[in-house]
Amino acid sequence: MKVLTFNIWNIFFAAHVPERMAALEKVLSAAAARADGWDVVLLQELWSRKARAAFGAGGYPFAAEVEDYNRPLGWLGAVLGIQVDSGLKILSKYPVLEVRRRTYSKRGSLWRVFRDGEVLARKSALAAKLEHPAWGPLWVVDTHLIAAYPDRAYTSRRKAQLMELHDFVRELMKEAPVIVGGDLNVGPKVNAATPANSYIPALWDDLMPRMFGDFARARWLDRTPTCSHVTCTWNDGTGEECHLDHILVGPGLRLEDAAVVLNETVELGPGLSGHLSDHYGFEVTLSRD
């Protein structure tokens, strides 16, 4: 079984959104049609209602999502032109048996709504119970945690979200094996010579092993960035190298391989090339114990 997580950067101020989304849909449709393509795809930052409708299911036969735009901050987002909810969506070759969502209680600051917009996004964990043809039911969890900013690390709120993610996952584990993936906005120090707001030892070195120490992770890729301000088309060539995107393989499943993918530029249109997102993709191959 092969799983991909990908933060697709589908937000109104991002560069060349229509061209990138069209190119991404071609990539996903090809993967959905191939026997060796990703069986499950975890997407983050598919933000607006309109964008979700236009994106569809990327060629996959099954999809899971739970969005709610009808709430006070959703209305504020609509007024500002950035109506968003969780931004999460799961695509699957396998039937979806059940969908659950845990919305994190700690979010961004209302006073920073015009600076980072985190308060508008309802950062969450989206879980889909899938019917694997050989293994039976398993849960796949897609999540996107609050980001760190140069002037605001949001460390305590990220800690709270990780702990809520842990509690959510432990409940799911009572029913079936669990895979957790997404943009955690926290990770290892990729390059000692460059800053990394995402590397916070109290979270990555202390809390994560305590919360998910029994989950397998591709540690050998910790020095490979999944979000690069140096090599990505859409950044300025300076600054952070971050490993933000992760897939954790729970008990009962075995991690076989992993890779950073979708990290090459593609043709987006006549005279236009670039990366598919400001993140790269992260994939794992796993088997059943």
Side-chain angles (χ1 to χ4, degrees):
M1 177 179 172
K2 189 177 287 187
V3 181
L4 169 75
T5 181
F6 193 33
N7 181 325
I8 65 174
W9 199 36
N10 185 331
I11 196 165
F12 78 100
F13 58 73
H16 301 289
V17 173
E19 294 87 353
R20 290 189 297 101
M21 293 305 106
L24 174 58
E25 287 190 78
K26 290 180 181 178
V27 169
L28 293 176
S29 293
R34 293 197 320 267
D36 64 346
W38 301 300
D39 298 296
V40 180
V41 177
L42 313 179
L43 300 178
Q44 304 90 45
E45 293 201 5
L46 185 54
W47 287 120
S48 73
R49 189 199 307 261
K50 182 178 180 181
R52 299 177 81 86
F55 192 88
Y60 279 77
F62 305 101
E65 59 187 326
V66 182
E67 297 294 272
D68 179 12
Y69 299 98
N70 296 316
R71 53 196 173 83
L73 282 174
W75 305 333
L76 174 60
V79 171
L80 298 175
I82 48 174
Q83 188 179 29
V84 300
D85 194 44
S86 79
L88 303 173
K89 189 165 188 172
I90 299 173
L91 312 179
S92 174
K93 291 182 179 179
Y94 310 134
V96 177
L97 303 176
E98 185 180 349
V99 181
R100 299 181 194 174
R101 173 175 162 179
R102 172 67 177 265
T103 303
Y104 299 130
S105 62
K106 302 296 184 182
R107 295 160 58 192
S109 169
L110 183 60
W111 308 113
R112 292 174 59 89
V113 64
F114 296 109
R115 301 190 66 175
D116 58 44
E118 287 282 355
V119 71
L120 298 177
R122 289 209 304 168
K123 295 293 179 70
S124 303
L126 173 69
K129 182 187 279 188
L130 308 179
E131 181 66 38
H132 190 283
W135 306 348
L138 68 143
W139 285 102
V140 178
V141 179
D142 182 14
T143 192
H144 187 189
L145 272 60
I146 193 168
Y149 299 86
D151 61 337
R152 183 71 179 269
Y154 283 125
T155 300
S156 63
R157 301 187 191 202
R158 275 191 287 174
K159 179 179 179 179
Q161 290 182 351
L162 280 169
M163 295 175 72
E164 290 181 25
L165 173 63
H166 164 271
D167 293 346
F168 183 57
V169 168
R170 296 295 159 178
E171 285 298 313
L172 300 176
M173 288 174 68
K174 296 176 182 178
E175 303 177 18
V178 179
I179 304 159
V180 181
D183 178 1
L184 300 187
N185 271 314
V186 65
K189 192 72 156 57
V190 172
N191 187 335
T194 62
N197 293 322
S198 59
Y199 174 61
I200 298 178
L203 298 182
W204 187 250
D205 298 331
D206 180 31
L207 185 63
M208 279 294 291
R210 289 193 286 116
M211 296 291 99
F212 298 101
D214 54 341
F215 280 64
R217 187 176 67 78
R219 299 174 185 276
W220 63 90
L221 291 173
D222 279 359
R223 296 287 184 178
T224 305
T226 64
C227 181
S228 174
H229 289 212
V230 178
T231 58
C232 183
T233 311
W234 315 114
N235 288 302
D236 61 7
T238 64
E240 297 191 23
E241 295 274 76
C242 304
H243 191 107
L244 306 177
D245 306 272
H246 308 274
I247 297 178
L248 312 176
V249 178
L253 302 170
R254 182 185 300 113
L255 174 63
E256 301 287 357
D257 199 7
V260 175
V261 296
L262 304 180
N263 55 351
E264 302 292 334
T265 59
V266 298
E267 293 298 318
L268 299 174
L272 178 64
S273 65
H275 288 94
L276 288 172
S277 175
D278 62 342
H279 283 239
Y280 305 143
F282 190 84
E283 69 171 28
V284 301
T285 303
L286 56 125
S287 61
R288 189 78 159 92
D289 272 346

